[in-house]
Each structure stands twice: as C-alpha cells, then as structure tokens.
Amino acid sequence: VMSVTPNKVLIDLRHEKGESQAQAAKNIGISQSMLAMLEAGYRKGSDDTKIKIANYYDESVDTIFFAVNCHS
C-alpha cells in the first residue's frame, strides 16, 4: 500500500503567499478540489498542472513535486 504524504512544500508556498486554497487555485487556474488533492498527496497532477503551479509560485517543478520524498 502506497502511503500518502502531504506535499508540505506546496502547502508552505501557499501559506507564504497568505492565500486560501480557493484563492490560490483560482489564481493558478485549477479547481480547489484539485489543489486540495495535490496538497494532501492524493493526486500527482498532470505535467501541465505541475508547470502552472511551479510558474505561479516561481519555483521549479522538481522543487515542489519531487523533493518531497528526499527529506525526512
């Protein structure tokens, strides 16, 4: 069974902007439910979605989506 790990980087980036999930999702151009699933770690998101999010937060896709498993 694959364990679900929240994407702390993604959550922290949104908190740094001081935005709710609804605000951030609207600005990124995705649904709030999609952002919630991504933050919770239930969804990985398409490449297109990852790029939109990375551009919005001015971070690399790697930093947000692939650094998660490297840190304990």
Side-chain angles (χ1 to χ4, degrees), residues 23-37:
Q23 287 172 310
K26 185 166 182 268
N27 292 337
I28 293 163
I30 61 175
S31 68
Q32 181 181 349
S33 60
M34 182 61 173
L35 183 57
M37 295 288 257

Side-chain angles (χ1 to χ4, degrees), residues 8-65:
K8 207 165 154 9
V9 177
L10 191 53
I11 295 165
D12 287 346
L13 285 167
R14 178 168 59 78
H15 287 167
E16 278 169 29
K17 278 189 180 270
E19 290 180 337
S20 68
Q21 272 183 352
Q23 287 172 310
K26 185 166 182 268
N27 292 337
I28 293 163
I30 61 175
S31 68
Q32 181 181 349
S33 60
M34 182 61 173
L35 183 57
M37 295 288 257
L38 290 166
E39 288 189 0
Y42 285 111
R43 292 284 296 276
K44 292 287 177 252
S46 64
D47 288 348
D48 191 44
T49 298
K50 287 179 182 143
I51 291 164
K52 276 187 192 166
I53 291 170
N55 288 341
Y56 180 65
Y57 289 122
D58 200 24
E59 290 284 352
S60 73
V61 171
D62 280 355
T63 301
I64 300 173
F65 292 100

